[in-house]
Amino acid sequence: MPMRRFPLRLKIAGFAGGLILLATVLVALFTVILPWRAKLKAQERLASQLVKTALPLGIDLRADGAHFDPTRVHALVENSSRVQGVEIVYALLWDDRGNLRDRAHALEYLAVGRRQSGIRRLPIKLTADSGPGHSTIGRLELGLSTMAIDSELRRSLIRDAFVLAGTLFFAVMSALSIARRIAQPLTDLSAAMGRVREGDFEITAAPSTRTNDEIGDLARSFDEMTLGLKERERLRGTLGRYVSGDVAERILSETDDLSLRGEVRHVAVLFLDVRGFTTISEKLTPTEVVALLNEYFDVVVDRVAAHGGTVNKFIGDAAMCIWGAPKHAVQGERSAVLCALEIQARAKKLSAERTKRGLTTVGFGIGINAGEAVAGNLGAAKRLEYTVIGDAVNLAQRLESQARAGEVLVSQPVYDKVALEVDAAPRDPVKLKGKSKPVPLWEIRRTKVVATEAA
C-alpha cells in the first residue's frame, strides 16, 4: 500500500505550529501552573503556622485528657481573613477518641463550606509533648478557600490561551507562506524533471527557482544537466547519421570507449552498388550526384532498418549492410533477402517517379552471403570504425560485382535458408577472386508468399 503523501508546506507548517505549542505549554507550566501550586503550598504553611500559634491557647491538658476551648476554634475561623493569603472557611475538631467537638459550630461551618467552591482540605494532627515523644491529642481539619488563587490562575490561563491561539495562527500562516516559497520552486523543479523524463530537453528551470540559495544552486545544476542531456541527444542523433543506430547505442552505452573488441559472429552481409555510376556522374554536377545518391540511399536505409539490419557503411556509390552484428539477428539470411527484394522494388518505383520528373535514374546490383565473420572496432585509438571482416564479407562483395542492375544474387548457404520462400534461378558457377573453385550463384527473383512489409 503506497504511503500517504503530505505536501512539504504542510510538514513545515505543522513543525512550526508544534514548536510554538510546545513553547507555550512550557511557558504556561513555569509561569502559571508551578507558581499556582507554590501559592497553594504557601497557603497551607501559613494556615499551619496560624494553627500552631493560636490553637494551643485553647487546649488544656489534664489528667483525664485534653480539653478544647471551642471559642478558640471559632476565633481561628473568624480571624483567618486578617492574615494575607489565608482564608479558612471551616474548621472541624476531633478529640483523641475521634469525637467531633462543638457540633453546632461544625455544622454551621460545613454549611458555609458547601455553599462555596474552591475549598481545599488541610488535615492537621494535634500532638502534645510527653517526654521524649509526642502523643496525639486530637485532629483538626481546615477548609481553605482557594477562590482568589484559582481566579488568578483562570485569568492567567485565559490570557495565555488567547496568546497561544494568536501566536499559533500567526506562526502557522507565516510557516505556510514561507513553506510555499520554499516548496513552490521544488514543485516547479519536480515538474521540469518530469518533462525531462519524457524526453523534453529544451525545458529549463522556472524563474521562481532562481533564488540566491541552495534551491537556486539546484536550479542551476538542473539547467546544466538538461544542457548535458541535450548535447548527448544531439551527439546521439549526429552519431546515428554516421553509424547505424544499433552501433551508436552500443557505443554510448559502453563505459570503455575501446571495449567493442573483435568477436566472432554469424552474420548475413548485403552489398549493393549503383550500376553505371561512372558514366552517370560525368553528366551531372557534384550537387546533382549527391542528391541522386541520397534519394536512392534513403530507400536502402529505410528498408534495412525495417528488417532489423545495420547499414554499416557507404563506400561511394556502394553500401554494406549486415545482420547479426552488433546485435544478434534471428534468421538473418531471410531478413537480408527480403530486404534486398524490397530495395529493388522501391528503387524501381523511385526510378519511375524520377523519369516523370525528367531526372536521371539508376539501378542497384545486390549480392548477399552469410557465414562467420569477426565484428568489432577496427583502426587506431584515435580513429575507429565498427565493421565486420572475413571471407564471408569478401564473398558478398564478389557476388555484388556479378549482379546487374535490378538483380539480387545470393550464395548457396543463403539460398538454402530461403529456398522454400522464394522463386530463384540458378546461375552458372563463376570463378571469383580468392576462390579456388567456381562459386554457385542463385538469382532471387521474388517471394513465393507476400512478405509483410514493415512500415
Side-chain angles (χ1 to χ4, degrees), residues 104-261:
H105 284 98
L107 294 175
E108 180 184 348
Y109 297 154
L110 287 175
V112 174
R114 290 193 183 98
R115 291 195 299 268
Q116 293 187 11
S117 59
I119 296 178
R120 181 179 176 86
R121 295 173 62 251
L122 176 61
I124 301 176
K125 185 183 295 185
L126 302 177
T127 61
D129 294 335
S130 58
H134 300 281
S135 61
T136 301
I137 61 174
R139 179 169 58 89
L140 179 67
E141 179 180 310
L142 300 180
L144 304 180
S145 175
T146 61
M147 291 182 62
I149 299 176
D150 291 345
S151 178
E152 183 181 355
L153 172 66
R154 283 192 296 271
R155 288 194 300 271
S156 298
L157 290 177
I158 292 173
R159 178 197 64 205
D160 291 349
F162 278 109
V163 172
L164 172 61
T167 306
L168 271 179
F169 178 79
F170 177 76
V172 170
M173 291 298 101
S174 300
L176 282 175
S177 177
I178 296 173
R180 186 179 295 110
R181 295 185 63 182
I182 295 175
Q184 189 59 47
L186 296 178
T187 302
D188 294 341
L189 278 176
S190 178
M193 289 179 182
R195 296 276 298 277
V196 172
R197 185 170 58 249
E198 294 173 359
D200 182 6
F201 302 121
E202 299 292 335
I203 190 71
T204 57
S208 61
T209 63
R210 302 184 186 281
T211 54
N212 191 24
D213 52 18
E214 289 80 358
I215 294 179
D217 295 339
L218 181 61
R220 287 183 285 274
S221 298
F222 173 81
D223 288 343
E224 293 174 3
M225 179 194 71
T226 55
L227 285 176
L229 292 173
K230 182 179 178 181
E231 180 65 14
R232 178 184 171 88
E233 286 302 305
R234 188 189 70 80
L235 290 175
R236 185 194 300 272
T238 302
L239 186 61
R241 293 175 180 270
Y242 290 92
V243 298
S244 71
D246 295 333
V247 176
E249 288 290 339
R250 179 75 179 272
I251 292 173
L252 292 175
S253 65
E254 292 291 342
T255 56
D256 182 358
D257 293 340
L258 303 177
S259 64
L260 296 180
R261 295 181 175 86

Side-chain angles (χ1 to χ4, degrees), residues 13 24 33 50-51 54 59 92 132 134 166 171 206 208 219 246 257 264 288 352 376 402-403 405 437:
T24 304
I33 304 299
L50 186 62
V51 169
I59 301 176
L92 303 178
H134 300 281
S208 61
D246 295 333
D257 293 340
V264 177
E288 291 173 333
Q402 298 295 315
K437 297 181 180 179

Side-chain angles (χ1 to χ4, degrees), residues 185-398:
L186 296 178
T187 302
D188 294 341
L189 278 176
S190 178
M193 289 179 182
R195 296 276 298 277
V196 172
R197 185 170 58 249
E198 294 173 359
D200 182 6
F201 302 121
E202 299 292 335
I203 190 71
T204 57
S208 61
T209 63
R210 302 184 186 281
T211 54
N212 191 24
D213 52 18
E214 289 80 358
I215 294 179
D217 295 339
L218 181 61
R220 287 183 285 274
S221 298
F222 173 81
D223 288 343
E224 293 174 3
M225 179 194 71
T226 55
L227 285 176
L229 292 173
K230 182 179 178 181
E231 180 65 14
R232 178 184 171 88
E233 286 302 305
R234 188 189 70 80
L235 290 175
R236 185 194 300 272
T238 302
L239 186 61
R241 293 175 180 270
Y242 290 92
V243 298
S244 71
D246 295 333
V247 176
E249 288 290 339
R250 179 75 179 272
I251 292 173
L252 292 175
S253 65
E254 292 291 342
T255 56
D256 182 358
D257 293 340
L258 303 177
S259 64
L260 296 180
R261 295 181 175 86
E263 55 183 346
V264 177
R265 291 288 191 100
H266 180 84
V267 296
V269 184
L270 181 154
F271 270 92
L272 61 83
D273 185 64
V274 175
R275 292 295 175 250
F277 178 73
T278 302
T279 303
I280 295 172
S281 63
E282 292 176 352
K283 302 176 183 178
L284 302 177
T285 65
T287 301
E288 291 173 333
V289 171
V290 172
L292 169 68
L293 291 178
N294 286 345
E295 191 167 1
Y296 277 92
F297 282 150
D298 277 343
V299 173
V300 176
V301 172
D302 177 68
R303 290 300 86 200
V304 171
H307 286 275
T310 298
V311 179
N312 183 254
K313 66 180 73 175
F314 291 102
I315 313 167
D317 60 328
M320 172 183 170
C321 310
I322 55 177
W323 282 257
K327 64 179 182 180
H328 179 69
V330 179
Q331 296 182 329
E333 293 87 345
R334 179 179 182 275
S335 298
V337 170
L338 295 179
C339 177
L341 292 175
E342 288 189 16
I343 288 174
Q344 295 291 28
R346 293 289 183 92
K348 184 178 180 180
K349 182 178 179 181
L350 176 59
S351 294
E353 294 174 356
R354 289 179 62 87
T355 299
K356 292 180 181 180
R357 290 182 284 163
L359 300 176
T360 304
T361 63
V362 297
F364 291 127
I366 299 178
I368 302 173
N369 185 39
E372 300 293 328
V374 177
N377 278 330
L378 293 181
K382 295 182 179 180
R383 178 66 174 87
L384 295 172
E385 180 181 41
Y386 183 85
T387 188
V388 292
I389 58 175
D391 183 65
V393 179
N394 296 336
L395 181 56
Q397 189 174 22
R398 303 287 187 271

